[in-house]
């Protein structure tokens, strides 16, 4: 029987090398072993790229490894784990600069150095967390806290669902005419939902949820400023089409976010909802901020003309300090907040799906 070289895929972490040998139903001849602290030898029989054959290969590693080799054969492949002697990142796998033809990166497990460091940090944090939790007595009020959070998210989900469905139906029936009376139709429920959303700033402050307080503070404060100051306090703004887009984009995000948190309260996950919660915000959140910015810009001439919220100055200094200066500063802060929150949410998404991918592997 002809001896051939199998396809081998590799990835690394700071302390380990992972090899995936593409041989199905493999019968490994002994165990993969290190001939020296630098060289690995593998031999086995199975179904590979050239059909049923004897396959073997050897690798001379860039740096020394430990002699203990772990391997596991499955119906599809052979997985080999090699531990590095020195905990460090390698520029390449083999001593020779030109990699062997049978060797390729394993993109299912591939991470660059920074991602691997983040993964290692997460593992250490998880171990520390488990260690701390094992020493801390269980919270006797955990069920009550979860019940409270579930009910809060349920109420918000129902509120924003009513807004989204109501606006969608009116859009199909009335067309563009629905743009101009959105505020008078939707405002009461939106007021309720956004005032209730202040709880999202309080919850992390009280330790009821693990998320940071600052992202919630930025979002809730920004939305309430737009709702109560820019739109709610100016009758001239309430009939503008931009109100429709602001409300519609807000509700489109929340009808996926709140049910995700509801299921998390009962330790349940729906994969489709998880994907939507961590993906739908990527186009909708910047569009929502853009709609808010348009509302602010449209309100500036109204504040200038009405002198509403402007500060009266002494006659020697001029008549009024217009509130429009505050709005111009707010526009800058709005886009800084967009950058901060987008970066925070993207990190959450990346961490969530990287964790799910590791569990799947």
């Amino acid at each position: 029987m002809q001896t051939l070289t199998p396809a081998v895929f590799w990835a690394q972490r700071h302390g380990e090398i992972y090899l995936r040998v593409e041989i199905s139903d493999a019968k490994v001849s002994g165990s993969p072993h290190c001939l020296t602290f630098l060289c690995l030898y593998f031999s086995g029989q199975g179904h590979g790229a050239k059909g049923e054959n004897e396959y073997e290969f050897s690798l001379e590693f860039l740096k020394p490894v430990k002699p203990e080799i772990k391997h596991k054969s499955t119906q599809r492949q052979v997985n080999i784990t090699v531990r590095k002697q020195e905990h460090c990142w390698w520029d390449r796998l083999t001593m020779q600069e030109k990699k062997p033809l049978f060797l390729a990166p394993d993109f299912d497990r591939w991470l660059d150095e920074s991602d691997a460091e983040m993964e290692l940090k997460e593992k250490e944090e998880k171990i520390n967390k488990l260690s701390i939790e094992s020493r801390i007595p269980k919270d006797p009020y955990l069920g009550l806290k979860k019940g409270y959070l579930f009910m809060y998210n349920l109420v918000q989900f129902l509120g924003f669902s009513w807004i989204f469905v109501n606006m969608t139906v009116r859009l199909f029936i009335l067309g563009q005419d629905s743009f101009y009376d959105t505020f008078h139709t939707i405002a009461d429920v939106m007021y309720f939902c956004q005032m209730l959303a202040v709880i999202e700033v309080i919850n992390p402050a009280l330790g009821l949820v693990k998320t940071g307080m600052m992202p919630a503070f930025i979002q809730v404060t920004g939305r309430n400023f737009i709702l109560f100051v820019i739109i709610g306090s100016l009758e001239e703004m309430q009939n503008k089409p931009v109100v429709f887009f602001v409300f519609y984009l807000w509700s489109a995000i929340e009808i996926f976010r709140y049910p995700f948190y509801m299921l998390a309260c009962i330790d349940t996950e729906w994969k489709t909802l998880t994907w939507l919660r961590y993906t739908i915000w990527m186009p909708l959140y910047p569009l929502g901020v853009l709609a808010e910015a348009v509302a602010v810009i449209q309100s500036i001439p109204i504040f200038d003309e009405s002198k509403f919220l402007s500060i009266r100055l002494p006659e020697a200094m001029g008549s009024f300090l217009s509130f429009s200066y505050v709005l111009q500063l707010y526009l800058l802060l709005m886009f800084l907040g967009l950058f901060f929150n987008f970066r925070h949410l993207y990190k959450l998404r990346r961490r969530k799906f990287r964790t799910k991918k590791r569990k799947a592997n």
Side-chain angles (χ1 to χ4, degrees):
M1 185 178 291
Q2 186 181 7
T3 301
L4 300 168
T5 304
V8 180
F9 299 88
W10 78 283
Q12 68 167 316
R13 299 295 185 268
H14 286 82
E16 295 174 320
I17 298 292
Y18 303 117
L19 301 174
R20 174 163 55 87
V21 185
E22 290 290 287
I23 303 176
S24 59
D25 298 318
K27 297 178 182 178
V28 180
S29 303
S31 298
H33 57 279
C34 289
L35 299 175
T36 67
F37 289 113
L38 287 171
C39 188
L40 170 75
Y41 175 76
F42 170 90
S43 176
Q45 181 180 337
H47 191 86
K50 300 294 183 179
E52 189 72 24
N53 271 299
E54 187 78 26
Y55 291 89
E56 65 178 26
F57 70 90
S58 63
L59 288 171
E60 187 176 5
F61 293 122
L62 179 65
K63 294 181 180 181
V65 297
K66 296 183 178 180
E68 302 85 9
I69 307 294
K70 294 181 181 179
H71 80 284
K72 181 180 180 181
S73 298
T74 68
Q75 290 183 343
R76 298 177 56 190
Q77 63 202 29
V78 179
N79 296 314
I80 302 173
T81 302
V82 183
R83 296 173 62 194
K84 300 176 182 178
Q85 280 201 3
E86 183 182 353
H87 194 86
C88 64
W89 194 259
W90 292 2
D91 295 331
R92 59 181 186 274
L93 180 63
T94 58
M95 182 73 72
Q96 62 191 74
E97 291 190 14
K98 186 177 180 181
K99 70 177 181 63
L101 295 177
F102 64 86
L103 189 65
D106 184 352
F107 291 109
D108 289 338
R109 303 194 71 169
W110 192 268
L111 293 178
D112 59 30
E113 185 175 4
S114 60
D115 286 338
E117 288 175 351
M118 187 177 295
E119 181 189 68
L120 182 63
K121 185 178 179 181
E122 287 175 1
K123 285 182 179 179
E124 291 175 349
E125 288 176 351
K126 187 175 181 180
I127 292 171
N128 292 335
K129 180 182 174 183
L130 290 173
S131 176
I132 293 171
E133 287 179 350
S134 65
R135 287 176 283 172
I136 297 176
K138 290 185 177 180
D139 186 354
Y141 302 106
L142 182 60
L144 185 61
K145 291 177 181 178
K146 285 189 174 183
Y148 152 73
L149 291 173
F150 181 88
M151 291 305 300
Y152 166 76
N153 288 298
L154 175 60
V155 170
Q156 288 287 59
F157 170 64
L158 293 175
F160 279 106
S161 295
W162 183 89
I163 292 171
F164 184 81
V165 171
N166 188 299
M167 293 180 69
T168 301
V169 171
R170 287 172 55 80
L171 178 62
F172 277 104
I173 295 175
L174 302 176
Q176 293 185 6
D177 290 341
S178 67
F179 291 174
Y180 301 98
D181 63 348
T182 297
F183 181 83
H184 302 289
T185 308
I186 305 297
D188 289 341
V189 180
M190 185 61 80
Y191 277 140
F192 172 79
C193 290
Q194 283 306 129
M195 285 190 291
L196 193 62
V198 175
I199 292 175
E200 295 181 32
V201 182
I202 299 172
N203 286 341
L206 297 178
L208 296 175
V209 295
K210 298 176 183 177
T211 54
M213 186 173 68
M214 187 54 65
F217 176 79
I218 292 174
Q219 177 171 305
V220 173
T221 303
R223 283 189 180 183
N224 283 346
F225 181 82
I226 296 296
L227 178 61
F228 289 96
V229 178
I230 301 299
I231 300 174
S233 66
L234 299 175
E235 291 187 11
E236 296 90 336
M237 286 295 301
Q238 293 169 9
N239 296 322
K240 291 186 179 294
V242 69
V243 177
F244 173 90
F245 294 100
V246 170
F247 285 7
Y248 202 70
L249 289 166
W250 285 358
S251 60
I253 294 173
E254 305 303 14
I255 59 174
F256 299 109
R257 187 167 71 98
Y258 285 116
F260 170 81
Y261 289 140
M262 284 167 53
L263 293 181
C265 290
I266 56 176
D267 300 319
T268 303
E269 181 178 7
W270 180 23
K271 291 182 180 179
T272 303
L273 181 61
T274 300
W275 184 87
L276 286 170
R277 184 265 179 270
Y278 284 102
T279 306
I280 199 72
W281 64 268
M282 296 183 76
L284 295 184
Y285 182 56
L287 287 174
V289 174
L290 181 61
E292 294 172 21
V294 171
V296 172
I297 292 169
Q298 290 183 351
S299 72
I300 288 176
I302 301 173
F303 278 107
D304 282 338
E305 183 178 350
S306 65
K307 300 294 188 294
F308 181 61
L309 297 180
S310 296
I311 301 174
R312 183 179 293 275
L313 298 175
E315 292 185 5
M317 299 178 63
S319 56
F320 288 94
L321 178 62
S322 176
F323 187 68
S324 64
Y325 294 120
V326 175
L327 297 181
Q328 292 170 32
L329 176 61
Y330 178 75
L331 282 172
L332 175 62
L333 295 177
M334 180 186 295
F335 286 100
L336 288 176
L338 169 63
F339 171 77
F340 177 84
N341 264 3
F342 195 94
R343 185 165 173 265
H344 170 74
L345 291 169
Y346 182 76
K347 282 183 176 180
L348 286 179
R349 183 182 189 277
R350 190 177 179 185
R351 185 182 305 166
K352 178 71 175 180
F353 287 110
R354 187 168 63 239
T355 301
K356 288 173 68 68
K357 188 174 181 180
R358 285 203 305 269
K359 288 180 179 178
N361 291 336

